[in-house]
Amino acid sequence: MADSWHKLPGAKTYRVLESGPTILVSTRNKAGRANLMTVGFHMVISHEGVLAAIVSPGDFSQESLAETGECVIGVPGVDLAEQVVDIGNCSGFEVDKFDRFGFTEKKAQHVAAPLVAECLANVECTMLDDSLADAYSGLVILQAQQVWVNSGRAEHRTFHHNGDGTFNADGDLVDLRERMVLWKAYQD
Amino acid sequence: MADSWHKLPGAKTYRVLESGPTILVSTRNKAGRANLMTVGFHMVISHEGVLAAIVSPGDFSQESLAETGECVIGVPGVDLAEQVVDIGNCSGFEVDKFDRFGFTEKKAQHVAAPLVAECLANVECTMLDDSLADAYSGLVILQAQQVWVNSGRAEHRTFHHNGDGTFNADGDLVDLRERMVLWKAYQD
């Protein structure tokens, strides 16, 4: 699948995460074991690639992230919704999630954590600030180092968690670029 | 419209914000002036109603929020997308946004900032932590005090910013509640 991926600067992460998709967080611990977790609580902080996510204390992925300071955020298409939900309903302490759910590790450029080959996009991230993690449910602030976008995919719709086990796939496109007079710089 | 609204505890905010809709932040400064801003950078932090949002330093709304420690987050339907984008492309220093864009103030219960009567939902919020605001683009952590849900509305779809002036309305519903075996508590 390598030739269907192209790179964007980490600063462009708002293009793949601002809409609030359900995401996968990929890690690899120092012992070399990769893992995936499913996250619905995340945000873009700036147009310079600063992000935040909740990576729950005590989870396998949280231990790997704390140990290495690195992760990859994968953005799955709605065709992967069942697997992504199942990943969020078991533990990396018990399951090899890449293997169990049929996802493929792909080598990243800046971090040891693997890209997820089946995703629409991947964002390579390094830890910027975990000073509020203990106070706020595992809140970590991340710096995006590189965005990878997969153009070789039939299903382009992401999906969004309604907080109750139901999700909405992306629907009708509303193009309001002409009205974004103060934000033209981010349309390139 | 009062009778079409019902209340939920602030802890249930994940039901209206986790999916990543474009939101309005409503404030009222100490001089009594209400304002609206449009925000795409926000997240849920916990199932206890802790939230985060980027409220940019120097904006009229940021000054009101810093002064009062209170705001309301409104969740607009996609029928309001043009007005919501226009709100994000002018300044409260120059424009009375409720008046200019045809939105109606509705009295909140816990905060002086107004609910937005035309929205699908409103979340009354108080400031919990602004210790990282200076370092990270105006990052504020908020405590939801009350959620209001509007059942008297024809259009129920929210809309999600792709970071470039295009948006996706909510599309197909994917119901995976049965697979959320570890998260049943949040389906009530």
Side-chain angles (χ1 to χ4, degrees), chain A residues 84-143:
Chain A
V84 169
V85 165
D86 290 348
I87 283 170
N89 283 277
C90 62
S91 169
F93 289 111
E94 294 160 11
V95 175
D96 180 329
K97 298 199 191 181
F98 273 92
D99 181 60
R100 163 86 69 98
F101 298 107
F103 287 97
T104 310
E105 300 181 26
K106 184 167 153 46
K107 190 170 166 48
Q109 184 173 342
H110 299 272
V111 301
L115 310 179
V116 186
E118 289 76 12
C119 280
L120 287 161
N122 283 283
V123 184
E124 299 187 36
C125 298
T126 52
M127 179 74 80
L128 195 55
D129 193 331
D130 63 358
S131 64
L132 293 186
D134 289 344
Y136 298 111
S137 307
L139 174 66
V140 291
I141 298 178
L142 303 168
Q143 176 66 55

Side-chain angles (χ1 to χ4, degrees), chain A residues 12 22 41-42 46 63 65 68 84 87 96 102 109 111 125 131-132 164 183:
Chain A
K12 295 265 188 190
T22 305
F41 292 180
H42 65 89
S46 81
E63 293 187 5
L65 176 59
T68 63
V84 169
I87 283 170
D96 180 329
Q109 184 173 342
V111 301
C125 298
S131 64
L132 293 186
D164 65 352
W183 304 88

Side-chain angles (χ1 to χ4, degrees), chain A residues 134-156:
Chain A
D134 289 344
Y136 298 111
S137 307
L139 174 66
V140 291
I141 298 178
L142 303 168
Q143 176 66 55
Q145 300 292 349
Q146 186 84 70
V147 180
W148 294 89
V149 177
N150 184 357
S151 56
R153 209 178 194 288
E155 176 60 83
H156 288 275

Side-chain angles (χ1 to χ4, degrees), chain A residues 42-85:
Chain A
H42 65 89
M43 73 189 292
V44 179
I45 284 181
S46 81
H47 288 101
E48 288 75 45
V50 181
L51 319 173
I54 300 298
V55 180
S56 301
D59 281 356
F60 190 94
S61 297
Q62 185 270 334
E63 293 187 5
S64 298
L65 176 59
E67 185 182 65
T68 63
E70 298 181 351
C71 67
V72 166
I73 292 176
V75 183
V78 68
D79 51 313
L80 300 171
E82 292 189 359
Q83 294 96 309
V84 169
V85 165

Side-chain angles (χ1 to χ4, degrees), chain A residues 25-47:
Chain A
V25 174
S26 161
T27 49
R28 189 189 308 281
N29 69 10
K30 288 192 175 174
R33 170 118 185 270
N35 191 44
L36 291 167
M37 78 184 295
T38 302
V39 173
F41 292 180
H42 65 89
M43 73 189 292
V44 179
I45 284 181
S46 81
H47 288 101

Side-chain angles (χ1 to χ4, degrees), chain A residues 86 167-169 171-172 174 179, chain B residues 86 165 167-169 171-172 174 179:
Chain A
D86 290 348
F167 300 79
N168 282 100
D172 294 343
V174 183
R179 302 176 95 99
Chain B
D86 289 349
F167 300 79
N168 281 100
D172 294 343
V174 183
R179 301 176 95 99

